Amino acid sequence: MGELGAFLTIHRVGFDKRDPRRRVRDYDRYFDLQPEAELRRQGARCMDCGVPFCHEGCPLGNLIPDWNDLVYRDKWRDAIDQLHATNNFPEFTGLICPAPCESACVLAINDDPVAIEQIELAIVERAYAEGWIVPHRPERRSGRTVAVVGAGPAGLAVAAELNQCGHAVTVFERDEGPGGLLRFGVPDAKLEKSVIDRRVAILEQEGIEFVYDTDVGRDITAPELDERFDAVVISIGSRVSRDLDVPGRQLDGIHPAMQYLYQRNRWVAAQQGRPSRAPEPGGEITAHGKKVIVIGGGDTGMDCISNSHREQARSVVMLDVYTQLPEHGDPRAPWPLPPKRTATTYALDEGGKRRWGTEVTGFGGKGRMVSHVYARQVTGSSSRDLTPVPGSEFVLEADLVLLAIGFEHPEHEGLVEQLGLELDDRKNISTRMTYRTSMGRVYACGDARIGQSLVVTAIAEGRKCARIVNADLGGSPMDADRERLAVGAWSGEADRTLRHEAEAAGTVRPGEEFFTGPATRDR
């Protein structure tokens, strides 16, 4: 794979990032790909490992060394075929995946990893430009119907797979467009929404029906859905935000981060003439001219910082419970594990300040509005084992506070309660690792099943769930089934082998904080 010994002579070259001082003035993508010649050089760095750990790091099991080598050899048409063999939406993962494959790259033990994510994005963008990605309608129809509830990456993946099996698939989405948090949580500076629309247009031409502005469980009841379809797949994500149980939380001006990000993404959509919903009168959340405090040091918090810069906030401070990173490596994330923190991010490059090892203890206000955040320094390896530092208390002024501390579980009101589905200990939909819920002909995948995770894990969840649904509907075996890639999912029993762990996406299971996108390293 690649050029013999090239990893010793060719250094990593990452995405070409725009000047932070300029990019905060717009919502365009903040980075570009390197020229083709450089991309081929980067592919040459793939070192023909005896055991390519990038496979183990990727929940999709992407054929990474194969398409690295094909790019190096200028075989781009073959590369997109290899990429699509395991990943329905490489443009999504190429833009915002945190690239656990790169953390698991053998080169990363003592050098910079191969630029896997950039090569992945380059392949799919080249394929679109050349006209290689076109609709492929299934040759036959099974006569079976499937409803997919939720148009996030897991829902899109399961819909794409089942449609290719010949089943008639209808995707219901309560928001005004597809993508889930890809559309409404991730800023356009990282993922321009035309990327989602381009792929969904192909899915529509392949025969998938999308129904927007429809909240299943309210606009359509569970019994109605059960009567109309042969199978129902629930992929509603994990949308209940974690909250802070501290004094002063009831003050105005304190919001879950996703409420703010939803509004900002819809504002951008409105400026670009795309369908969007305006906030309720009096419910607008804006950072313009305000002192903003972001609580939580993960990717959602970084996206809040990025949007605050573009709104011209007066100041932005992030409070992160994690202790400051050591100068050389993080013992909490040894190779091949992905890091939960990096020295800087795309948002912090644009401005703002991050305070490490900080726990919020309460809020103060003037009248009904928040005006202060009370905090203290803490030590510990994660948010679960914090120890306060005596005498370290401090106060920060605040006009807007955004809580970016993760998500609890999927929403239960509506569809889940109407179906009476069993929940696991974390209040996710229980499937006992088979994707089958406690109700017949009803399935669950993605964050609704496993809790909040990554875009790459969501796509893997959708693909694996489709195998189970297809089998239960009497469909012909899928290629992945013939290759015995779903052993753990079929049996419902955990054998704890590396293959099972990879299939169950259990080896890359981030907690409440995890970075996404090409800013996670100095690329």
Side-chain angles (χ1 to χ4, degrees):
M1 297 296 173
E3 180 181 321
L4 185 64
F7 65 92
L8 297 172
T9 58
I10 299 175
H11 299 290
R12 177 187 172 103
V13 177
F15 287 95
D16 184 12
K17 299 176 184 176
R18 298 165 57 205
D19 186 335
R21 294 170 296 180
R22 293 181 178 274
R23 71 193 194 211
V24 294
R25 301 173 187 172
D26 59 52
Y27 288 84
D28 298 335
R29 196 171 78 186
Y30 73 89
F31 61 93
D32 293 305
L33 293 166
Q34 294 293 337
E36 180 180 331
E38 183 59 56
L39 291 167
R40 293 182 61 190
R41 279 169 44 85
Q42 293 303 304
R45 294 185 73 232
C46 198
M47 57 188 290
D48 193 15
C49 306
V51 178
F53 275 79
C54 54
H55 287 308
E56 167 65 7
C58 177
L60 280 165
N62 279 337
L63 307 175
I64 296 166
D66 301 62
W67 37 261
N68 279 340
D69 182 62
L70 289 168
V71 167
Y72 162 62
R73 299 181 187 281
D74 200 25
K75 296 182 177 181
W76 295 84
R77 183 65 180 85
D78 294 334
I80 188 60
D81 291 339
Q82 292 282 47
L83 192 49
H84 272 151
T86 56
N87 187 353
N88 302 76
F89 315 120
E91 61 268 48
F92 299 167
T93 50
L95 285 167
I96 65 168
C97 182
C101 55
E102 293 189 8
S103 300
C105 176
V106 174
L107 262 180
I109 296 175
N110 62 353
D111 199 354
D112 293 328
V114 175
I116 299 170
E117 187 176 26
Q118 181 174 196
I119 294 172
E120 176 183 35
L121 181 61
I123 293 170
V124 68
E125 289 300 328
R126 172 72 175 269
Y128 273 115
E130 296 284 354
W132 297 333
I133 300 179
V134 295
H136 294 285
R137 295 184 69 91
E139 296 179 358
R140 62 176 180 81
R141 286 295 178 183
S142 67
R144 299 286 190 171
T145 57
V146 182
V148 176
V149 185
L156 294 176
V158 72
E161 292 290 296
L162 289 173
N163 180 65
Q164 289 302 316
C165 292
H167 309 304
V169 181
T170 302
V171 180
F172 294 92
E173 171 56 53
R174 70 179 182 183
D175 289 321
E176 63 269 31
L181 295 190
L182 298 182
R183 179 176 296 273
F184 298 103
V186 179
D188 282 66
K190 287 167 61 175
L191 174 59
E192 293 172 312
K193 304 312 178 282
S194 59
V195 173
I196 304 172
D197 296 334
R198 177 178 61 182
R199 177 64 74 168
V200 170
I202 290 176
L203 297 179
E204 289 177 324
Q205 293 174 61
E206 291 177 338
I208 300 175
E209 180 183 2
F210 287 86
V211 180
Y212 303 121
D213 294 306
T214 301
D215 192 350
V216 176
R218 294 179 177 84
D219 300 322
I220 299 177
T221 66
E224 290 175 314
L225 210 64
D226 183 63
E227 182 179 347
R228 288 175 52 186
F229 295 92
D230 297 312
V232 176
V233 180
I234 301 174
S235 53
I236 57 177
S238 179
R239 300 286 288 273
V240 177
S241 298
R242 285 198 180 102
D243 210 338
L244 275 181
D245 184 15
V246 296
R249 172 61 185 89
Q250 77 285 352
L251 290 167
D252 293 340
I254 305 173
H255 306 275
M258 205 50 63
Q259 289 183 5
Y260 173 67
L261 294 176
Y262 252 76
Q263 286 198 16
R264 295 314 304 161
N265 278 291
R266 282 173 165 159
W267 182 88
V268 174
Q271 303 306 303
Q272 297 177 352
R274 293 185 279 110
S276 64
R277 298 177 189 169
E280 295 291 333
E284 182 183 6
I285 306 171
T286 178
H288 179 72
K290 294 182 178 180
K291 300 174 183 177
V292 180
I293 303 293
V294 178
I295 300 174
D299 185 67
T300 300
M302 296 301 171
D303 292 343
C304 289
I305 292 177
S306 171
N307 274 290
S308 296
H309 293 326
R310 284 161 176 76
E311 279 203 275
Q312 299 181 338
R314 182 176 176 182
S315 64
V316 185
V317 177
M318 168 175 278
L319 304 181
D320 190 349
V321 296
Y322 272 68
T323 55
Q324 188 162 357
L325 295 176
E327 185 175 350
H328 300 291
D330 187 353
R332 295 169 294 189
W335 181 89
L337 298 179
K340 291 194 175 181
R341 293 293 183 274
T342 53
T344 188
T345 70
Y346 85 103
L348 291 173
D349 287 344
E350 295 170 353
K353 179 181 179 181
R354 172 169 53 185
R355 296 190 63 148
W356 298 98
T358 301
E359 180 184 35
V360 173
T361 58
F363 302 103
K366 294 181 179 178
R368 298 175 56 184
M369 287 295 301
V370 67
S371 61
H372 294 84
V373 175
Y374 301 103
R376 62 188 177 190
Q377 295 299 118
V378 291
T379 59
S381 60
S382 75
S383 58
R384 297 175 179 84
D385 63 348
L386 301 179
T387 302
V389 176
S392 64
E393 296 80 5
F394 63 93
V395 181
L396 295 174
E397 294 183 349
D399 304 311
L400 174 65
V401 177
L402 301 173
L403 305 179
I405 53 178
F407 300 88
E408 294 279 4
H409 50 71
E411 296 176 358
H412 300 152
E413 183 182 358
L415 178 63
V416 174
E417 289 182 348
Q418 288 179 14
L419 292 174
L421 300 181
E422 290 183 8
L423 306 175
D424 63 18
D425 293 340
R426 298 169 59 201
K427 298 184 179 180
N428 298 319
I429 299 174
S430 177
T431 61
R432 300 184 179 89
M433 299 187 69
T434 65
Y435 300 96
R436 302 179 182 95
T437 70
S438 56
M439 182 175 180
R441 301 188 296 112
V442 177
Y443 307 81
C445 64
D447 291 3
R449 187 184 84 92
I450 62 173
Q452 71 166 106
S453 191
L454 313 177
V455 60
V456 64
T457 307
I459 297 171
E461 280 277 304
R463 289 173 64 88
K464 290 193 283 281
C465 181
R467 301 173 199 170
I468 306 299
V469 177
N470 179 57
D472 288 354
L473 292 177
S476 300
M478 300 165 67
D479 290 341
D481 303 328
R482 300 188 189 98
E483 297 164 6
R484 294 182 59 77
L485 294 179
V487 175
W490 282 115
S491 67
E493 297 178 359
D495 58 26
R496 298 305 175 192
T497 62
L498 284 179
R499 173 157 64 173
H500 170 81
E501 290 293 333
E503 278 301 300
T507 52
V508 184
R509 193 180 288 276
E512 62 273 19
E513 304 96 359
F514 209 103
F515 295 116
T516 64
T520 60
R521 296 184 184 84
D522 183 11
R523 299 184 180 181

